[in-house]
Structures are given as C-alpha cells and as structure tokens.
Amino acid sequence: MGLYSHLTTEQLTARRDSYLAAIDARLTGPTQASHSTDGVGARSVQFNADTTQLRRAIDDINAELLRRTGQPARKPIYLV
C-alpha cells in the first residue's frame, strides 16, 4: 500500500501534472528579483532550482500508477 493509494487514477495524473508544472515554474521563473534604489541601477535575480522534493513525489506517483497497471516498478541499477 503506497503513499498515494487512496487517490483515484485521475487524481494521481492531475497531481502529477500539477507537480510537473511546479517544476517548470521553479526552473524557469525567478523566485526573487530586486534592484537598488541608490541610483547605481544594480539588479539581482535569484532562481530556486531545488526540485528534489517535487521529483521524489512524481517518482512516487509514477510508481503507484505502475503498480495499479500491474507493471513492475523500475528499480535502480547498481554497478559494482
């Protein structure tokens, strides 16, 4: 029983789509923009590119969708 097992398939795909849109917004849009008011004209823009939590949630949703279709979840490949 997974973390997202209580949601319907439609809810899962909608949530995954919203998470993908959030990743796109974080990677392409600035989180903070400022400029100095002392007459120098310096500008600063910061981007928040930390998407690890969103990617982890998307991976969990994909695993739940695969489990529902009966396909085995992909496991990591370890090189020794």
Side-chain angles (χ1 to χ4, degrees):
M1 190 160 175
L3 177 66
Y4 296 103
S5 61
H6 65 284
L7 297 174
T8 65
T9 303
E10 291 81 20
Q11 290 172 328
L12 281 175
T13 54
R15 185 169 290 194
R16 181 181 60 188
D17 292 343
S18 70
Y19 288 165
L20 287 172
I23 285 178
D24 184 47
R26 282 193 183 180
L27 292 176
T28 59
T31 57
Q32 181 180 11
S34 63
H35 68 282
S36 68
T37 57
D38 59 0
V40 177
R43 297 179 187 164
S44 172
V45 177
Q46 293 181 350
F47 292 89
N48 183 9
D50 183 24
T51 58
T52 54
Q53 291 178 341
L54 287 170
R55 289 178 191 266
R56 188 175 302 129
I58 290 171
D59 289 342
D60 292 342
I61 290 173
N62 286 334
E64 176 66 24
L65 289 171
L66 286 175
R67 187 191 64 78
R68 290 181 183 188
T69 60
Q71 298 176 2
R74 295 185 331 187
K75 296 180 181 176
I77 298 173
Y78 297 102
L79 299 175
V80 181

